[in-house]
């Protein structure tokens, strides 16, 4: 959240606990002239209870905004996160895996422009770019073991397997939204929203054990239209979105709702409303689900 006070506000926190746990945060926020800002950093690390169960995460962020005249604002946000965690496996049933780990380096930056064009029309445009580098690694093949638990022994051995995968992902996102608002005593309150956006994903997936590499690219374009009508005891919302994705093609997802006030609230009885809603939805697969080259998690195009 951006600052509002002309005098900078500074906060800091430091705490710790068992298993080598340490946690520290610091932030500063404020405003000067037309510019407001908020900067922050956080660090968490712990060894956890089991061998190779350590976790560490560092986050830094910046949020800076400025007003452009009396009707428009421009805001930029940057966030970075670095993390690493050991993956000891199923420690309740046998020895832990002492070398496997997962780490990620994520950076996100974006800018948003908002403008109150007139009393009835407002617009917003956004662009962001996120970059993620992930690694999942187990380079040492541990000896087989037979799981035991509460006096019971499995009838077969468990085997370790090695892997070394790297994923580099860039995600572009651009969006425009326009909101038109009109209200009259006779016709009620009308709000019309138009949205158009684009997502471009670019990825490189490496299986370093086999030397396989996949260059992946996928674009998604969407547009939506929604109308809200508020009038005395009745309110309705109707809209539809069209998605075009390079994997699953084109889909249309409508949605609508209605609400009727059956009884206005009184001192003896609160307001009673009757509501109904229906709609469709879609969810695209992740880049890994589509393009993964791992022999233990094959992508499904």
């Amino acid at each position: 959240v951006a600052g509002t006070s002309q005098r900078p506000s500074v906060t800091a926190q430091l705490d710790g606990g068992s298993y080598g746990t340490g946690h520290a945060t610091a932030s500063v926020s404020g405003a000067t002239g037309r510019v407001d800002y908020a900067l922050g950093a956080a660090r968490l690390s712990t060894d956890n209870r089991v061998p190779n169960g350590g976790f560490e995460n560092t986050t830094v962020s910046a949020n800076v905004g400025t007003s452009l005249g009396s009707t428009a604002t421009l805001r930029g946000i940057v966030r970075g996160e670095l993390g690493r965690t050991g993956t000891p496996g199923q420690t309740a049933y046998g020895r832990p895996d002492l070398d496997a780990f997962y780490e990620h380096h994520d950076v996100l930056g974006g800018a948003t422009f908002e403008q109150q064009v007139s009393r009835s029309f407002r617009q917003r445009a956004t662009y962001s770019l996120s970059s993620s580098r992930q690694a999942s690694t187990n380079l040492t093949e541990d000896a087989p073991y037979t799981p035991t638990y509460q006096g019971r022994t499995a009838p077969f051995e468990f085997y370790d397997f090695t892997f070394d995968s790297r994923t580099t992902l860039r995600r572009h996102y651009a969006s425009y939204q326009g909101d038109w608002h009109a209200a009259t005593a006779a016709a009620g309150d009308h709000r019309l929203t138009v949205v158009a956006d684009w997502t471009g994903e670019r990825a490189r997936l490496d299986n370093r054990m086999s030397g396989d590499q996949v260059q992946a690219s996928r674009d998604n374009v969407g547009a939506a239209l929604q109308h809200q009508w508020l009038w005395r005891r009745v309110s309705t919302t109707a809209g539809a979105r069209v998605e075009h994705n390079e994997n699953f093609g084109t889909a249309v997802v409508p949605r609508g709702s209605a609400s009727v006030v059956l009884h206005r609230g009184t001192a003896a009885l609160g307001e009673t409303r009757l509501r109904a809603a229906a709609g469709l939805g879609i969810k695209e697969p992740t880049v890994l689900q589509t393009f993964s080259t791992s022999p233990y998690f094959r992508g499904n195009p």
Side-chain angles (χ1 to χ4, degrees), residues 22-41:
H23 178 226
T25 64
S27 65
V28 57
S29 62
T32 174
R34 293 174 175 265
V35 178
D36 60 75
Y37 59 90
L39 311 175

Side-chain angles (χ1 to χ4, degrees), residues 8 24 50 56 60 62 87 94 111 113 142 152-153 170-171 185 197 212 221-222 232 246 252 257 261 282 284:
V50 299
E56 56 185 43
V60 294
T87 52
F113 171 79
D142 298 313
R152 299 190 177 191
T153 302
R170 294 194 317 275
R171 184 176 186 270
D197 51 38
D212 294 336
V221 179
R232 295 184 182 179
E246 287 190 342
V252 179
S257 66
V261 178
I282 55 174
E284 69 178 9

Side-chain angles (χ1 to χ4, degrees), residues 223 239-244 248-255 279-282:
R241 181 175 176 87
V242 179
E243 292 278 357
H244 178 73
F248 58 72
T250 302
V252 179
V253 284
R255 180 172 298 177
L280 299 177
I282 55 174

Side-chain angles (χ1 to χ4, degrees), residues 127-130 170-174 198-202:
Y127 171 77
S128 66
L129 173 62
S130 61
R170 294 194 317 275
R171 184 176 186 270
H172 300 266
Y173 176 74
W198 163 73
T199 302
E201 294 174 293
R202 310 292 180 258

Side-chain angles (χ1 to χ4, degrees), residues 15-24 43-58 82-88:
D15 51 80
S18 56
Y19 304 120
T21 301
H23 178 226
R43 167 74 176 176
L44 171 64
S45 63
T46 179
D47 293 335
N48 281 316
R49 186 174 60 87
V50 299
N52 194 31
F55 171 83
E56 56 185 43
N57 190 83
T58 302
L82 291 81
R84 179 187 173 104
T85 180
T87 52

Side-chain angles (χ1 to χ4, degrees), residues 30-151:
T32 174
R34 293 174 175 265
V35 178
D36 60 75
Y37 59 90
L39 311 175
R43 167 74 176 176
L44 171 64
S45 63
T46 179
D47 293 335
N48 281 316
R49 186 174 60 87
V50 299
N52 194 31
F55 171 83
E56 56 185 43
N57 190 83
T58 302
T59 303
V60 294
S61 62
N63 182 344
V64 180
T66 182
S67 58
L68 306 176
S70 59
T71 63
T73 61
L74 179 65
R75 181 166 303 281
I77 296 177
V78 177
R79 178 183 174 89
E81 183 174 339
L82 291 81
R84 179 187 173 104
T85 180
T87 52
Q90 303 171 8
T91 58
Y93 306 104
R95 57 97 186 101
D97 193 319
L98 298 179
D99 70 298
F101 67 89
Y102 167 79
E103 64 181 6
H104 66 96
H105 298 168
D106 300 334
V107 179
L108 167 67
T112 298
F113 171 79
E114 292 191 71
Q115 182 183 25
Q116 189 71 45
V117 180
S118 65
R119 293 184 59 183
S120 60
F121 184 72
R122 185 176 184 86
Q123 64 179 356
R124 179 175 65 185
T126 299
Y127 171 77
S128 66
L129 173 62
S130 61
S131 174
S132 177
R133 290 187 296 141
Q134 305 173 25
S136 187
T137 305
N138 181 18
L139 299 180
T140 302
E141 185 175 355
D142 298 313
Y145 72 98
T146 301
T148 59
Y149 185 69
Q150 294 184 349

